[in-house]
Amino acid sequence: MQPRVDFISLGVRSVATSRAFYVDGLGWPVHREVPGDVVFIQVNHGLVLSLWDVRQMQADAGVTASGGVPCITLSHNLPGTEDVDRVMEEAAAAGADIISEPITQPWGGYSGYFADPDGFRWEVAYNPTWAVDDDGAVTV
């Protein structure tokens, strides 16, 4: 198996609410959708974020509802601290709950967290030791 991720699927309580946050609020483009069931957003080279009705996703994956916020962090890395501040402001304007304002971290970077309408945590970060080259490879 190749070390690759092609889809990240989030089980959401309301596809319409999540669509409004990501598409209308953040301005992310819809790649394809089945209204009320699932929205696909291409978020990077060959990577798709899927906003899927949680009941359908649980049935498909054979998972029982847990009732809490899933422990998963989606990260959005940026080239500078001012970019982190801008994206956090955009997320707040789109309706995100700001979990932690951006601060300089002990590891040398700068990051903060927001939560989408279902509570999924997004880390917005600048890491001075992390870069992606033109081919999409991570360099440290």
Side-chain angles (χ1 to χ4, degrees):
M1 180 176 176
Q2 295 177 340
R4 184 182 81 222
V5 175
D6 300 303
F7 270 79
I8 297 172
S9 296
L10 302 178
V12 299
R13 293 181 302 254
S14 167
V15 173
T17 299
S18 290
R19 185 189 196 288
F21 176 75
Y22 286 99
V23 176
D24 302 331
L26 295 179
W28 292 10
V30 172
H31 175 68
R32 179 172 288 155
E33 72 182 298
V34 178
D37 290 335
V38 65
V39 175
F40 299 105
I41 300 167
Q42 185 162 357
V43 292
N44 210 336
H45 309 286
L47 180 60
V48 173
L49 178 66
S50 164
L51 307 171
W52 195 3
D53 177 84
V54 68
R55 291 161 302 281
Q56 292 178 9
M57 186 175 177
Q58 289 169 337
D60 192 68
V63 174
T64 318
S66 67
V69 174
C71 191
I72 182 173
T73 298
L74 304 164
S75 295
H76 185 79
N77 292 348
L78 295 159
T81 58
E82 61 284 341
D83 300 304
V84 171
D85 292 335
R86 177 183 47 77
V87 168
M88 291 292 287
E89 290 170 6
E90 290 173 1
D97 290 327
I98 302 303
I99 302 302
S100 63
E101 293 289 342
I103 60 169
T104 300
Q105 299 292 343
W107 46 267
Y110 181 76
S111 66
Y113 283 85
F114 71 81
D116 78 357
D118 284 275
F120 289 106
R121 286 350 190 225
W122 281 87
E123 176 191 34
V124 181
Y126 161 65
N127 183 337
T129 65
W130 187 276
V132 179
D133 67 21
D134 292 337
D135 294 328
V138 174
T139 60
V140 183

PDB file of all heavy atoms in Angstrom, residues 75-85 102-113 123-133 138-140:
ATOM      1  N   SER A  75      -5.090  20.225   9.751  1.00  0.00           N
ATOM      2  CA  SER A  75      -4.153  21.350   9.830  1.00  0.00           C
ATOM      3  C   SER A  75      -4.064  22.100   8.513  1.00  0.00           C
ATOM      4  O   SER A  75      -4.072  21.498   7.443  1.00  0.00           O
ATOM      5  CB  SER A  75      -2.763  20.851  10.218  1.00  0.00           C
ATOM      6  OG  SER A  75      -2.791  20.307  11.517  1.00  0.00           O
ATOM      7  N   HIS A  76      -3.975  23.396   8.634  1.00  0.00           N
ATOM      8  CA  HIS A  76      -3.837  24.296   7.493  1.00  0.00           C
ATOM      9  C   HIS A  76      -2.556  25.082   7.743  1.00  0.00           C
ATOM     10  O   HIS A  76      -2.522  25.956   8.606  1.00  0.00           O
ATOM     11  CB  HIS A  76      -5.062  25.215   7.428  1.00  0.00           C
ATOM     12  CG  HIS A  76      -5.109  26.103   6.241  1.00  0.00           C
ATOM     13  ND1 HIS A  76      -5.510  25.662   5.008  1.00  0.00           N
ATOM     14  CD2 HIS A  76      -4.809  27.417   6.095  1.00  0.00           C
ATOM     15  CE1 HIS A  76      -5.464  26.670   4.145  1.00  0.00           C
ATOM     16  NE2 HIS A  76      -5.032  27.750   4.777  1.00  0.00           N
ATOM     17  N   ASN A  77      -1.475  24.699   7.045  1.00  0.00           N
ATOM     18  CA  ASN A  77      -0.179  25.332   7.246  1.00  0.00           C
ATOM     19  C   ASN A  77       0.007  26.478   6.268  1.00  0.00           C
ATOM     20  O   ASN A  77      -0.345  26.366   5.098  1.00  0.00           O
ATOM     21  CB  ASN A  77       0.942  24.314   7.093  1.00  0.00           C
ATOM     22  CG  ASN A  77       0.936  23.295   8.214  1.00  0.00           C
ATOM     23  OD1 ASN A  77       0.250  23.456   9.210  1.00  0.00           O
ATOM     24  ND2 ASN A  77       1.698  22.244   8.052  1.00  0.00           N
ATOM     25  N   LEU A  78       0.600  27.553   6.758  1.00  0.00           N
ATOM     26  CA  LEU A  78       0.746  28.783   5.988  1.00  0.00           C
ATOM     27  C   LEU A  78       2.183  29.296   6.048  1.00  0.00           C
ATOM     28  O   LEU A  78       2.935  28.927   6.942  1.00  0.00           O
ATOM     29  CB  LEU A  78      -0.220  29.840   6.540  1.00  0.00           C
ATOM     30  CG  LEU A  78      -1.690  29.461   6.358  1.00  0.00           C
ATOM     31  CD1 LEU A  78      -2.565  30.216   7.324  1.00  0.00           C
ATOM     32  CD2 LEU A  78      -2.112  29.723   4.924  1.00  0.00           C
ATOM     33  N   PRO A  79       2.541  30.200   5.113  1.00  0.00           N
ATOM     34  CA  PRO A  79       3.927  30.656   5.035  1.00  0.00           C
ATOM     35  C   PRO A  79       4.328  31.734   6.047  1.00  0.00           C
ATOM     36  O   PRO A  79       5.499  32.076   6.129  1.00  0.00           O
ATOM     37  CB  PRO A  79       4.052  31.198   3.605  1.00  0.00           C
ATOM     38  CG  PRO A  79       2.670  31.543   3.201  1.00  0.00           C
ATOM     39  CD  PRO A  79       1.770  30.598   3.948  1.00  0.00           C
ATOM     40  N   GLY A  80       3.393  32.283   6.838  1.00  0.00           N
ATOM     41  CA  GLY A  80       3.778  33.319   7.787  1.00  0.00           C
ATOM     42  C   GLY A  80       2.745  33.548   8.869  1.00  0.00           C
ATOM     43  O   GLY A  80       1.596  33.114   8.762  1.00  0.00           O
ATOM     44  N   THR A  81       3.152  34.233   9.930  1.00  0.00           N
ATOM     45  CA  THR A  81       2.259  34.490  11.059  1.00  0.00           C
ATOM     46  C   THR A  81       1.077  35.369  10.679  1.00  0.00           C
ATOM     47  O   THR A  81      -0.042  35.144  11.150  1.00  0.00           O
ATOM     48  CB  THR A  81       3.031  35.133  12.225  1.00  0.00           C
ATOM     49  OG1 THR A  81       3.626  36.350  11.776  1.00  0.00           O
ATOM     50  CG2 THR A  81       4.114  34.208  12.756  1.00  0.00           C
ATOM     51  N   GLU A  82       1.316  36.341   9.793  1.00  0.00           N
ATOM     52  CA  GLU A  82       0.212  37.224   9.380  1.00  0.00           C
ATOM     53  C   GLU A  82      -0.842  36.444   8.593  1.00  0.00           C
ATOM     54  O   GLU A  82      -2.033  36.750   8.647  1.00  0.00           O
ATOM     55  CB  GLU A  82       0.725  38.419   8.569  1.00  0.00           C
ATOM     56  CG  GLU A  82       1.448  38.073   7.284  1.00  0.00           C
ATOM     57  CD  GLU A  82       2.886  37.544   7.444  1.00  0.00           C
ATOM     58  OE1 GLU A  82       3.507  37.737   8.496  1.00  0.00           O
ATOM     59  OE2 GLU A  82       3.360  36.912   6.483  1.00  0.00           O
ATOM     60  N   ASP A  83      -0.415  35.395   7.893  1.00  0.00           N
ATOM     61  CA  ASP A  83      -1.357  34.537   7.173  1.00  0.00           C
ATOM     62  C   ASP A  83      -2.228  33.758   8.154  1.00  0.00           C
ATOM     63  O   ASP A  83      -3.420  33.562   7.926  1.00  0.00           O
ATOM     64  CB  ASP A  83      -0.601  33.569   6.253  1.00  0.00           C
ATOM     65  CG  ASP A  83       0.246  34.288   5.226  1.00  0.00           C
ATOM     66  OD1 ASP A  83      -0.302  35.110   4.479  1.00  0.00           O
ATOM     67  OD2 ASP A  83       1.463  34.025   5.204  1.00  0.00           O
ATOM     68  N   VAL A  84      -1.612  33.307   9.249  1.00  0.00           N
ATOM     69  CA  VAL A  84      -2.365  32.589  10.284  1.00  0.00           C
ATOM     70  C   VAL A  84      -3.447  33.508  10.850  1.00  0.00           C
ATOM     71  O   VAL A  84      -4.623  33.109  10.969  1.00  0.00           O
ATOM     72  CB  VAL A  84      -1.422  32.086  11.406  1.00  0.00           C
ATOM     73  CG1 VAL A  84      -2.219  31.537  12.584  1.00  0.00           C
ATOM     74  CG2 VAL A  84      -0.464  31.033  10.859  1.00  0.00           C
ATOM     75  N   ASP A  85      -3.078  34.725  11.195  1.00  0.00           N
ATOM     76  CA  ASP A  85      -4.054  35.675  11.742  1.00  0.00           C
ATOM     77  C   ASP A  85      -5.194  35.929  10.757  1.00  0.00           C
ATOM     78  O   ASP A  85      -6.369  35.944  11.142  1.00  0.00           O
ATOM     79  CB  ASP A  85      -3.375  36.998  12.087  1.00  0.00           C
ATOM     80  CG  ASP A  85      -2.412  36.874  13.261  1.00  0.00           C
ATOM     81  OD1 ASP A  85      -2.589  35.957  14.090  1.00  0.00           O
ATOM     82  OD2 ASP A  85      -1.484  37.702  13.335  1.00  0.00           O
ATOM     83  N   PRO A 102      -4.231  32.440  17.958  1.00  0.00           N
ATOM     84  CA  PRO A 102      -2.860  32.107  17.585  1.00  0.00           C
ATOM     85  C   PRO A 102      -1.839  32.683  18.582  1.00  0.00           C
ATOM     86  O   PRO A 102      -1.987  33.826  19.020  1.00  0.00           O
ATOM     87  CB  PRO A 102      -2.682  32.753  16.219  1.00  0.00           C
ATOM     88  CG  PRO A 102      -4.055  32.973  15.697  1.00  0.00           C
ATOM     89  CD  PRO A 102      -4.915  33.194  16.901  1.00  0.00           C
ATOM     90  N   ILE A 103      -0.870  31.844  18.925  1.00  0.00           N
ATOM     91  CA  ILE A 103       0.230  32.262  19.802  1.00  0.00           C
ATOM     92  C   ILE A 103       1.523  31.638  19.287  1.00  0.00           C
ATOM     93  O   ILE A 103       1.506  30.665  18.534  1.00  0.00           O
ATOM     94  CB  ILE A 103       0.011  31.836  21.277  1.00  0.00           C
ATOM     95  CG1 ILE A 103      -0.094  30.310  21.402  1.00  0.00           C
ATOM     96  CG2 ILE A 103      -1.197  32.529  21.882  1.00  0.00           C
ATOM     97  CD1 ILE A 103      -0.050  29.786  22.823  1.00  0.00           C
ATOM     98  N   THR A 104       2.638  32.203  19.714  1.00  0.00           N
ATOM     99  CA  THR A 104       3.935  31.607  19.416  1.00  0.00           C
ATOM    100  C   THR A 104       4.075  30.370  20.283  1.00  0.00           C
ATOM    101  O   THR A 104       3.892  30.421  21.507  1.00  0.00           O
ATOM    102  CB  THR A 104       5.074  32.604  19.705  1.00  0.00           C
ATOM    103  OG1 THR A 104       4.873  33.757  18.869  1.00  0.00           O
ATOM    104  CG2 THR A 104       6.425  31.988  19.394  1.00  0.00           C
ATOM    105  N   GLN A 105       4.355  29.247  19.640  1.00  0.00           N
ATOM    106  CA  GLN A 105       4.401  27.955  20.319  1.00  0.00           C
ATOM    107  C   GLN A 105       5.813  27.635  20.815  1.00  0.00           C
ATOM    108  O   GLN A 105       6.796  28.119  20.242  1.00  0.00           O
ATOM    109  CB  GLN A 105       3.929  26.852  19.363  1.00  0.00           C
ATOM    110  CG  GLN A 105       2.509  27.018  18.881  1.00  0.00           C
ATOM    111  CD  GLN A 105       1.490  26.830  19.993  1.00  0.00           C
ATOM    112  OE1 GLN A 105       1.764  26.284  21.056  1.00  0.00           O
ATOM    113  NE2 GLN A 105       0.275  27.317  19.751  1.00  0.00           N
ATOM    114  N   PRO A 106       5.937  26.792  21.841  1.00  0.00           N
ATOM    115  CA  PRO A 106       7.254  26.411  22.350  1.00  0.00           C
ATOM    116  C   PRO A 106       8.143  25.749  21.291  1.00  0.00           C
ATOM    117  O   PRO A 106       9.360  25.825  21.363  1.00  0.00           O
ATOM    118  CB  PRO A 106       6.943  25.431  23.483  1.00  0.00           C
ATOM    119  CG  PRO A 106       5.529  25.690  23.866  1.00  0.00           C
ATOM    120  CD  PRO A 106       4.851  26.226  22.641  1.00  0.00           C
ATOM    121  N   TRP A 107       7.525  25.141  20.273  1.00  0.00           N
ATOM    122  CA  TRP A 107       8.301  24.469  19.226  1.00  0.00           C
ATOM    123  C   TRP A 107       8.777  25.440  18.147  1.00  0.00           C
ATOM    124  O   TRP A 107       9.405  25.043  17.164  1.00  0.00           O
ATOM    125  CB  TRP A 107       7.518  23.302  18.623  1.00  0.00           C
ATOM    126  CG  TRP A 107       6.084  23.585  18.283  1.00  0.00           C
ATOM    127  CD1 TRP A 107       4.999  23.373  19.085  1.00  0.00           C
ATOM    128  CD2 TRP A 107       5.562  24.129  17.061  1.00  0.00           C
ATOM    129  NE1 TRP A 107       3.839  23.762  18.438  1.00  0.00           N
ATOM    130  CE2 TRP A 107       4.161  24.229  17.187  1.00  0.00           C
ATOM    131  CE3 TRP A 107       6.141  24.551  15.864  1.00  0.00           C
ATOM    132  CZ2 TRP A 107       3.340  24.715  16.181  1.00  0.00           C
ATOM    133  CZ3 TRP A 107       5.318  25.041  14.860  1.00  0.00           C
ATOM    134  CH2 TRP A 107       3.935  25.116  15.033  1.00  0.00           C
ATOM    135  N   GLY A 108       8.480  26.749  18.309  1.00  0.00           N
ATOM    136  CA  GLY A 108       9.004  27.750  17.392  1.00  0.00           C
ATOM    137  C   GLY A 108       8.035  28.243  16.344  1.00  0.00           C
ATOM    138  O   GLY A 108       8.323  29.196  15.621  1.00  0.00           O
ATOM    139  N   GLY A 109       6.884  27.625  16.251  1.00  0.00           N
ATOM    140  CA  GLY A 109       5.889  28.047  15.275  1.00  0.00           C
ATOM    141  C   GLY A 109       4.864  28.975  15.885  1.00  0.00           C
ATOM    142  O   GLY A 109       5.010  29.464  17.011  1.00  0.00           O
ATOM    143  N   TYR A 110       3.800  29.216  15.136  1.00  0.00           N
ATOM    144  CA  TYR A 110       2.733  30.127  15.532  1.00  0.00           C
ATOM    145  C   TYR A 110       1.436  29.482  15.093  1.00  0.00           C
ATOM    146  O   TYR A 110       1.271  29.168  13.900  1.00  0.00           O
ATOM    147  CB  TYR A 110       2.963  31.468  14.827  1.00  0.00           C
ATOM    148  CG  TYR A 110       1.962  32.554  15.131  1.00  0.00           C
ATOM    149  CD1 TYR A 110       1.999  33.240  16.338  1.00  0.00           C
ATOM    150  CD2 TYR A 110       1.003  32.925  14.188  1.00  0.00           C
ATOM    151  CE1 TYR A 110       1.105  34.269  16.598  1.00  0.00           C
ATOM    152  CE2 TYR A 110       0.111  33.945  14.437  1.00  0.00           C
ATOM    153  CZ  TYR A 110       0.164  34.622  15.653  1.00  0.00           C
ATOM    154  OH  TYR A 110      -0.721  35.634  15.910  1.00  0.00           O
ATOM    155  N   SER A 111       0.511  29.237  16.020  1.00  0.00           N
ATOM    156  CA  SER A 111      -0.715  28.549  15.625  1.00  0.00           C
ATOM    157  C   SER A 111      -1.861  28.844  16.572  1.00  0.00           C
ATOM    158  O   SER A 111      -1.668  29.261  17.706  1.00  0.00           O
ATOM    159  CB  SER A 111      -0.483  27.031  15.557  1.00  0.00           C
ATOM    160  OG  SER A 111      -0.223  26.504  16.844  1.00  0.00           O
ATOM    161  N   GLY A 112      -3.065  28.586  16.055  1.00  0.00           N
ATOM    162  CA  GLY A 112      -4.297  28.687  16.815  1.00  0.00           C
ATOM    163  C   GLY A 112      -5.267  27.627  16.298  1.00  0.00           C
ATOM    164  O   GLY A 112      -4.981  26.950  15.303  1.00  0.00           O
ATOM    165  N   TYR A 113      -6.397  27.482  16.977  1.00  0.00           N
ATOM    166  CA  TYR A 113      -7.388  26.473  16.602  1.00  0.00           C
ATOM    167  C   TYR A 113      -8.770  27.096  16.481  1.00  0.00           C
ATOM    168  O   TYR A 113      -9.147  27.960  17.271  1.00  0.00           O
ATOM    169  CB  TYR A 113      -7.472  25.375  17.663  1.00  0.00           C
ATOM    170  CG  TYR A 113      -6.351  24.385  17.627  1.00  0.00           C
ATOM    171  CD1 TYR A 113      -5.153  24.646  18.275  1.00  0.00           C
ATOM    172  CD2 TYR A 113      -6.481  23.187  16.939  1.00  0.00           C
ATOM    173  CE1 TYR A 113      -4.117  23.739  18.252  1.00  0.00           C
ATOM    174  CE2 TYR A 113      -5.451  22.270  16.909  1.00  0.00           C
ATOM    175  CZ  TYR A 113      -4.272  22.546  17.565  1.00  0.00           C
ATOM    176  OH  TYR A 113      -3.246  21.643  17.531  1.00  0.00           O
ATOM    177  N   GLU A 123      -6.334  23.261  13.032  1.00  0.00           N
ATOM    178  CA  GLU A 123      -5.157  23.997  13.469  1.00  0.00           C
ATOM    179  C   GLU A 123      -4.717  24.859  12.294  1.00  0.00           C
ATOM    180  O   GLU A 123      -4.556  24.373  11.179  1.00  0.00           O
ATOM    181  CB  GLU A 123      -4.027  23.042  13.842  1.00  0.00           C
ATOM    182  CG  GLU A 123      -2.753  23.775  14.208  1.00  0.00           C
ATOM    183  CD  GLU A 123      -1.551  22.863  14.316  1.00  0.00           C
ATOM    184  OE1 GLU A 123      -1.472  21.874  13.552  1.00  0.00           O
ATOM    185  OE2 GLU A 123      -0.688  23.159  15.153  1.00  0.00           O
ATOM    186  N   VAL A 124      -4.521  26.141  12.544  1.00  0.00           N
ATOM    187  CA  VAL A 124      -4.007  27.052  11.529  1.00  0.00           C
ATOM    188  C   VAL A 124      -2.612  27.429  12.007  1.00  0.00           C
ATOM    189  O   VAL A 124      -2.461  27.973  13.108  1.00  0.00           O
ATOM    190  CB  VAL A 124      -4.911  28.289  11.380  1.00  0.00           C
ATOM    191  CG1 VAL A 124      -4.385  29.211  10.302  1.00  0.00           C
ATOM    192  CG2 VAL A 124      -6.347  27.862  11.059  1.00  0.00           C
ATOM    193  N   ALA A 125      -1.594  27.085  11.205  1.00  0.00           N
ATOM    194  CA  ALA A 125      -0.234  27.179  11.723  1.00  0.00           C
ATOM    195  C   ALA A 125       0.776  27.701  10.717  1.00  0.00           C
ATOM    196  O   ALA A 125       0.629  27.525   9.505  1.00  0.00           O
ATOM    197  CB  ALA A 125       0.222  25.790  12.187  1.00  0.00           C
ATOM    198  N   TYR A 126       1.791  28.324  11.275  1.00  0.00           N
ATOM    199  CA  TYR A 126       3.029  28.647  10.558  1.00  0.00           C
ATOM    200  C   TYR A 126       4.138  27.897  11.281  1.00  0.00           C
ATOM    201  O   TYR A 126       4.292  28.015  12.497  1.00  0.00           O
ATOM    202  CB  TYR A 126       3.310  30.151  10.594  1.00  0.00           C
ATOM    203  CG  TYR A 126       4.755  30.488  10.299  1.00  0.00           C
ATOM    204  CD1 TYR A 126       5.296  30.226   9.043  1.00  0.00           C
ATOM    205  CD2 TYR A 126       5.570  31.031  11.270  1.00  0.00           C
ATOM    206  CE1 TYR A 126       6.628  30.511   8.771  1.00  0.00           C
ATOM    207  CE2 TYR A 126       6.894  31.331  11.001  1.00  0.00           C
ATOM    208  CZ  TYR A 126       7.424  31.057   9.757  1.00  0.00           C
ATOM    209  OH  TYR A 126       8.730  31.336   9.489  1.00  0.00           O
ATOM    210  N   ASN A 127       4.875  27.086  10.540  1.00  0.00           N
ATOM    211  CA  ASN A 127       6.001  26.346  11.103  1.00  0.00           C
ATOM    212  C   ASN A 127       7.236  26.727  10.301  1.00  0.00           C
ATOM    213  O   ASN A 127       7.343  26.377   9.124  1.00  0.00           O
ATOM    214  CB  ASN A 127       5.746  24.835  11.014  1.00  0.00           C
ATOM    215  CG  ASN A 127       6.850  24.026  11.662  1.00  0.00           C
ATOM    216  OD1 ASN A 127       7.976  24.490  11.809  1.00  0.00           O
ATOM    217  ND2 ASN A 127       6.525  22.807  12.040  1.00  0.00           N
ATOM    218  N   PRO A 128       8.167  27.437  10.919  1.00  0.00           N
ATOM    219  CA  PRO A 128       9.336  27.904  10.177  1.00  0.00           C
ATOM    220  C   PRO A 128      10.261  26.786   9.691  1.00  0.00           C
ATOM    221  O   PRO A 128      11.126  27.023   8.863  1.00  0.00           O
ATOM    222  CB  PRO A 128      10.051  28.816  11.179  1.00  0.00           C
ATOM    223  CG  PRO A 128       9.597  28.347  12.517  1.00  0.00           C
ATOM    224  CD  PRO A 128       8.201  27.840  12.322  1.00  0.00           C
ATOM    225  N   THR A 129      10.063  25.566  10.191  1.00  0.00           N
ATOM    226  CA  THR A 129      10.927  24.456   9.782  1.00  0.00           C
ATOM    227  C   THR A 129      10.240  23.510   8.801  1.00  0.00           C
ATOM    228  O   THR A 129      10.768  22.457   8.470  1.00  0.00           O
ATOM    229  CB  THR A 129      11.395  23.636  11.003  1.00  0.00           C
ATOM    230  OG1 THR A 129      10.250  23.007  11.609  1.00  0.00           O
ATOM    231  CG2 THR A 129      12.092  24.526  12.014  1.00  0.00           C
ATOM    232  N   TRP A 130       9.041  23.862   8.331  1.00  0.00           N
ATOM    233  CA  TRP A 130       8.229  22.977   7.509  1.00  0.00           C
ATOM    234  C   TRP A 130       7.935  23.671   6.183  1.00  0.00           C
ATOM    235  O   TRP A 130       7.469  24.801   6.174  1.00  0.00           O
ATOM    236  CB  TRP A 130       6.920  22.704   8.228  1.00  0.00           C
ATOM    237  CG  TRP A 130       6.016  21.695   7.617  1.00  0.00           C
ATOM    238  CD1 TRP A 130       5.114  21.901   6.621  1.00  0.00           C
ATOM    239  CD2 TRP A 130       5.885  20.333   7.977  1.00  0.00           C
ATOM    240  NE1 TRP A 130       4.434  20.759   6.335  1.00  0.00           N
ATOM    241  CE2 TRP A 130       4.894  19.768   7.164  1.00  0.00           C
ATOM    242  CE3 TRP A 130       6.504  19.521   8.923  1.00  0.00           C
ATOM    243  CZ2 TRP A 130       4.502  18.443   7.263  1.00  0.00           C
ATOM    244  CZ3 TRP A 130       6.123  18.196   9.004  1.00  0.00           C
ATOM    245  CH2 TRP A 130       5.137  17.674   8.185  1.00  0.00           C
ATOM    246  N   ALA A 131       8.215  23.016   5.074  1.00  0.00           N
ATOM    247  CA  ALA A 131       7.925  23.598   3.769  1.00  0.00           C
ATOM    248  C   ALA A 131       7.510  22.502   2.805  1.00  0.00           C
ATOM    249  O   ALA A 131       7.792  21.322   3.019  1.00  0.00           O
ATOM    250  CB  ALA A 131       9.157  24.320   3.229  1.00  0.00           C
ATOM    251  N   VAL A 132       6.833  22.901   1.744  1.00  0.00           N
ATOM    252  CA  VAL A 132       6.425  21.980   0.695  1.00  0.00           C
ATOM    253  C   VAL A 132       7.046  22.481  -0.598  1.00  0.00           C
ATOM    254  O   VAL A 132       6.884  23.637  -0.981  1.00  0.00           O
ATOM    255  CB  VAL A 132       4.879  21.925   0.571  1.00  0.00           C
ATOM    256  CG1 VAL A 132       4.469  20.978  -0.543  1.00  0.00           C
ATOM    257  CG2 VAL A 132       4.262  21.494   1.885  1.00  0.00           C
ATOM    258  N   ASP A 133       7.776  21.566  -1.289  1.00  0.00           N
ATOM    259  CA  ASP A 133       8.421  22.002  -2.532  1.00  0.00           C
ATOM    260  C   ASP A 133       7.439  21.980  -3.703  1.00  0.00           C
ATOM    261  O   ASP A 133       6.272  21.631  -3.532  1.00  0.00           O
ATOM    262  CB  ASP A 133       9.684  21.182  -2.823  1.00  0.00           C
ATOM    263  CG  ASP A 133       9.397  19.719  -3.152  1.00  0.00           C
ATOM    264  OD1 ASP A 133       8.262  19.375  -3.552  1.00  0.00           O
ATOM    265  OD2 ASP A 133      10.330  18.907  -3.041  1.00  0.00           O
ATOM    266  N   VAL A 138       7.168  17.288   1.299  1.00  0.00           N
ATOM    267  CA  VAL A 138       7.424  18.040   2.522  1.00  0.00           C
ATOM    268  C   VAL A 138       8.926  18.043   2.775  1.00  0.00           C
ATOM    269  O   VAL A 138       9.586  17.011   2.707  1.00  0.00           O
ATOM    270  CB  VAL A 138       6.677  17.416   3.709  1.00  0.00           C
ATOM    271  CG1 VAL A 138       7.056  18.108   5.008  1.00  0.00           C
ATOM    272  CG2 VAL A 138       5.181  17.481   3.474  1.00  0.00           C
ATOM    273  N   THR A 139       9.455  19.221   3.069  1.00  0.00           N
ATOM    274  CA  THR A 139      10.858  19.336   3.451  1.00  0.00           C
ATOM    275  C   THR A 139      10.926  19.921   4.850  1.00  0.00           C
ATOM    276  O   THR A 139      10.112  20.754   5.227  1.00  0.00           O
ATOM    277  CB  THR A 139      11.638  20.245   2.466  1.00  0.00           C
ATOM    278  OG1 THR A 139      11.043  21.530   2.470  1.00  0.00           O
ATOM    279  CG2 THR A 139      11.625  19.674   1.075  1.00  0.00           C
ATOM    280  N   VAL A 140      11.861  19.435   5.626  1.00  0.00           N
ATOM    281  CA  VAL A 140      12.006  19.895   7.001  1.00  0.00           C
ATOM    282  C   VAL A 140      13.419  20.387   7.202  1.00  0.00           C
ATOM    283  O   VAL A 140      14.355  19.867   6.677  1.00  0.00           O
ATOM    284  CB  VAL A 140      11.697  18.771   8.000  1.00  0.00           C
ATOM    285  CG1 VAL A 140      11.785  19.254   9.435  1.00  0.00           C
ATOM    286  CG2 VAL A 140      10.327  18.196   7.746  1.00  0.00           C
TER     287      VAL A 140
END
